[in-house]
């Protein structure tokens, strides 16, 4: 659960939690809005494991450290991964507060999370054609129609950060095929896919860039926009988990 989206944890029942600092080999999140807890419990009637706060490459962690929790999830038998993030919107049809279902991503990080010795959880050269599970995307669409939730769809561009994008970078990423841009998610999703874990991802559009009128953005504004989108995102996620086998 990414920036400003940690309140989904309040929906978890029968929960018990561990601070990241108490878990051997776990990095510790340093970003405001990421509380840094691993939570076990029930959500939507299912046993779940939740990360309240994630790790970012820009914090100085290696890609293996950033994605270590996904390796732990695999060893614990996790079958489906739901990921969320706050992202800048580059698609002119998007509005601040929109929830974008991630249909694909572009990996623009300078280091690949599978670089190095191959883990036996997957092949040396994994296929990435359906990185985001089509059945889960269809399920989200069905639930959104039932509950009259506005969803948009698009490609997430994963970049290093920690600077927000310049206007020229926004335009470049848009020309490359991105609809939203952010500093997370892609490494974890790649490793999950390599482990055979089904993945569903959403971006909350917290700011807009690359258009004719320059718009300055701050982390506080990103958090505020993400906070406003939380009730809708929580309802969607809860219902999806409930209906997921």
């Amino acid at each position: 659960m990414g920036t400003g989206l940690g309140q989904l944890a309040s929906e978890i029942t029968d929960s018990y939690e561990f601070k990241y600092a108490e878990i051997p080999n776990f990095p510790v999140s340093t970003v405001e809005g990421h509380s840094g807890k691993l939570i076990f419990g029930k959500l939507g009637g299912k046993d779940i494991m939740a990360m309240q706060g994630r790790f970012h490459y820009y914090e100085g962690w290696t890609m293996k450290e950033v994605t270590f929790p996904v390796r732990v999830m695999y060893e614990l038998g996790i079958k489906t991964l739901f990921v969320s993030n706050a992202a800048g919107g580059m698609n002119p049809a998007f509005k601040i507060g929109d929830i974008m279902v991630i249909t694909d991503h572009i990996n623009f990080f300078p280091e690949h999370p599978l670089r190095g010795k191959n883990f036996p959880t997957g092949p040396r050269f994994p296929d990435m054609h359906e990185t985001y599970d089509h059945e889960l995307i269809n399920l989200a669409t069905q639930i959104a129609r039932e509950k009259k939730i506005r969803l948009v769809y698009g490609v997430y561009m994963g970049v290093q950060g920690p600077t927000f994008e310049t206007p020229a970078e926004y335009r470049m990423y848009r020309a490359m095929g991105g609809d939203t841009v952010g500093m997370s998610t892609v490494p974890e999703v790649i490793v999950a896919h390599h482990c055979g874990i089904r993945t569903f991802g959403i971006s909350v559009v917290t700011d807009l860039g690359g258009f004719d009128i320059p718009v300055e953005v701050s982390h506080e504004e990103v958090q505020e926009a993400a906070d406003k989108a939380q009730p809708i995102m929580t309802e969607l996620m809860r219902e999806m988990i409930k209906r997921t086998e």
Side-chain angles (χ1 to χ4, degrees):
M1 295 179 283
T3 298
L5 301 174
Q7 287 184 17
L8 183 64
S10 64
E11 297 275 323
I12 300 171
T13 60
D14 303 322
S15 65
Y16 53 100
E17 60 189 45
F18 302 92
K19 293 181 179 178
Y20 291 160
E22 299 171 351
I23 304 172
N25 300 314
F26 247 65
V28 177
S29 182
T30 65
V31 183
E32 185 181 348
H34 292 250
S35 65
K37 292 187 292 187
L38 193 63
I39 306 170
F40 294 84
K42 289 188 177 292
L43 183 64
K46 300 288 172 60
D47 292 320
I48 67 148
M49 166 186 173
M51 287 182 64
Q52 191 173 19
R54 62 151 55 89
F55 316 117
H56 304 80
Y57 187 69
Y58 64 74
E59 294 176 81
W61 306 114
T62 67
M63 276 298 182
K64 283 186 169 52
E65 290 169 325
V66 167
T67 59
F68 179 72
V70 179
R71 298 290 182 190
V72 173
M73 292 176 189
Y74 171 80
E75 296 296 337
L76 290 172
I78 297 297
K79 303 297 183 188
T80 307
L81 175 66
F82 293 84
V83 291
S84 67
N85 60 57
M90 303 178 289
N91 187 320
F94 290 178
K95 301 181 295 186
I96 290 178
D98 273 346
I99 295 175
M100 186 192 86
V101 173
I102 303 174
T103 57
D104 204 347
H105 72 231
I106 298 173
N107 181 15
F108 217 64
F109 283 88
E111 181 186 349
H112 199 283
L114 299 182
R115 179 178 179 269
K117 183 179 178 181
N118 186 49
F119 280 81
T121 57
R124 171 76 280 187
F125 304 105
D127 180 85
M128 301 295 288
H129 271 88
E130 192 180 333
T131 313
Y132 298 86
D133 189 88
H134 292 175
E135 288 186 5
L136 293 174
I137 292 173
N138 291 338
L139 176 60
T141 301
Q142 178 185 338
I143 293 169
R145 285 178 184 149
E146 292 172 7
K147 297 184 175 293
K148 295 180 171 55
I149 295 172
R150 171 182 159 88
L151 291 182
V152 294
Y153 302 81
V155 175
Y156 177 81
M157 171 78 71
V159 299
Q160 175 178 318
T163 52
F164 289 112
E165 290 67 39
T166 67
E169 286 170 339
Y170 269 125
R171 291 192 293 271
M172 179 184 72
Y173 295 149
R174 177 62 180 159
M176 292 173 69
D179 294 288
T180 58
V181 59
M183 307 168 195
S184 66
T185 302
V186 169
E188 300 102 299
V189 168
I190 289 174
V191 170
H193 192 68
H194 185 253
C195 291
I197 298 172
R198 295 197 306 162
T199 301
F200 174 80
I202 58 173
S203 291
V204 177
V205 178
T206 52
D207 57 282
L208 299 171
F211 307 126
D212 292 336
I213 302 174
V215 180
E216 291 188 11
V217 62
S218 69
H219 184 68
E220 291 73 24
E221 290 171 321
V222 167
Q223 279 192 276
E224 182 180 352
D227 286 341
K228 290 180 180 178
Q230 281 197 75
I232 300 170
M233 189 275 293
T234 299
E235 184 176 14
L236 177 67
M237 288 289 205
R238 185 200 312 115
E239 194 62 26
M240 285 192 70
I241 291 169
K242 183 178 179 181
R243 300 189 196 183
T244 300
E245 294 298 327

